[in-house]
Amino acid sequence: MKKVQEHASHGGMQEVWQHHSHTLGCDMRFGIYLPPHAVHAQCPVLYWLSGLTCTEQNFITKAGAQRYAAEHGVIVVAPDTSPRGVAVADAEGYDLGQGAGFYLNATQAPWAENYRMHDYVERELPDLVEAHFSASNRRSISGHSMGGHGALVLALRNPGRYHSVSAFSPIVAPMQVPWGEKAFIAYLGDDRDAWRQWDACELVRAAADSANKLPLLVDQGEADEFLDTQLRPELLEAACRQSAHPFTLRRRAGYDHSYYFIASFIGEHVAYHAAALADR
């Protein structure tokens, strides 16, 4: 690994590291905030997944999470959203290819060679973090937009791996919205049954008989320009109600899809995850 950035912040250190990912077959970067507590003891980890067009930089420079991570003694890890590089498949537009990995494991050419963001976030990245930093194996996960979709799917597909999950403005039903349909056709092919394992609403329905359901927390801005066309939180609300899955949807009047929204409530989310990480 190679450290490419380091900044003191709220008594801790905000760093960016680069490494070669065997899962993705390319070099990757991730941001990691190490709170003051990490100097003396292992700390739990909150993984943050960003949205379309983002890198690790958007969250670490705009969300203001460092203050709250320092207060609660939580490491925050923010990976890039997608595999990148001249040898990695790409597409025109912002919603497919590099910058739009959708946190799934692609099965279709040319994407299948590199686009395995689910496996990277689930296994390779935490293995790296827990081996090289003062990080425990207590994990929570959160994200925004496409990253909110990724956080929900990772938590629902891996029961017991995360202590808590939350999302800002997530794509909750990618099978039913344009962003998701475009990505799924390209990455997964035309078989819609194969899509279900990457759709939070479908995963909630499939887990209807599970005895241990991880509560889902979603914050959604009511002035979000993508609310009615791409996000549709009411679909996840209905799926959770039907399956008796614990779900909290907080609609925030006046807030849009931007990092102004995330920065306004990230402290509440960090506190929520810190409490869950401390309880288990």
Side-chain angles (χ1 to χ4, degrees):
M1 293 204 306
K2 176 184 177 182
K3 186 193 296 182
V4 295
Q5 284 186 25
E6 180 180 69
H7 306 282
S9 179
H10 296 279
M13 297 300 298
Q14 176 64 62
E15 301 176 353
V16 176
W17 288 78
Q18 180 174 303
H19 72 105
H20 183 77
S21 168
H22 298 289
T23 302
L24 304 176
C26 65
D27 288 345
M28 290 291 288
R29 290 189 175 192
F30 64 90
I32 182 167
Y33 178 71
L34 301 167
H37 306 64
V39 174
H40 306 291
Q42 285 191 326
C43 295
V45 185
L46 172 61
Y47 290 87
W48 172 271
L49 307 182
S50 293
L52 287 165
T53 76
C54 292
T55 69
E56 79 288 341
Q57 290 293 320
N58 298 74
F59 179 75
I60 68 175
T61 60
K62 295 180 179 181
Q66 292 89 347
R67 169 189 171 187
Y68 307 104
E71 177 184 344
H72 293 286
V74 174
I75 293 172
V76 181
V77 174
D80 198 351
T81 58
S82 312
R84 299 184 193 268
V86 294
V88 174
D90 201 3
E92 293 185 2
Y94 72 95
D95 53 357
L96 188 68
Q98 296 183 32
F102 269 84
Y103 302 100
L104 49 71
N105 293 334
T107 59
Q108 305 298 301
W111 314 103
E113 183 175 352
N114 302 105
Y115 284 72
R116 303 186 62 81
M117 285 298 296
H118 177 275
D119 283 358
Y120 174 72
V121 173
E122 180 201 356
R123 293 293 172 183
E124 184 177 5
L125 181 60
D127 285 350
L128 198 68
V129 168
E130 290 162 24
H132 290 274
F133 301 94
S134 186
S136 74
N137 62 3
R138 291 177 292 149
R139 313 173 195 91
S140 290
I141 192 164
S142 186
H144 171 234
S145 194
M146 177 186 74
H149 144 76
L152 294 171
V153 167
L154 273 149
L156 290 166
R157 280 173 57 97
N158 298 280
R161 184 159 182 81
Y162 301 99
H163 289 237
S164 53
V165 59
S166 72
F168 289 82
S169 314
I171 305 169
V172 302
M175 292 180 65
Q176 301 182 57
V177 300
W179 276 342
E181 288 188 304
K182 179 178 180 178
F184 283 11
I185 288 172
Y187 296 144
L188 303 172
D190 295 327
D191 182 4
R192 294 183 69 90
D193 283 338
W195 298 5
R196 297 182 186 277
Q197 62 183 311
W198 307 107
D199 183 298
C201 289
E202 295 297 323
L203 289 168
V204 163
R205 294 188 184 97
D209 297 327
S210 174
N212 187 18
K213 299 176 181 178
L214 188 67
L216 311 181
L217 171 63
V218 169
D219 269 7
Q220 175 62 61
E222 292 188 330
D224 192 316
E225 61 269 40
F226 303 113
L227 177 59
D228 296 327
T229 56
Q230 304 282 12
L231 307 179
R232 304 191 63 188
E234 72 279 0
L235 296 178
L236 182 58
E237 189 173 39
C240 287
R241 186 184 305 114
Q242 179 184 5
S243 301
H245 197 116
F247 178 60
T248 300
L249 174 61
R250 303 190 297 201
R251 294 181 177 270
R252 305 290 193 173
Y255 287 91
D256 59 20
H257 201 69
S258 72
Y259 265 83
Y260 293 107
F261 172 43
I262 296 169
S264 297
F265 301 105
I266 191 65
E268 295 181 18
H269 281 245
V270 173
Y272 173 79
H273 292 296
L277 288 162
D279 283 345
R280 300 186 185 184

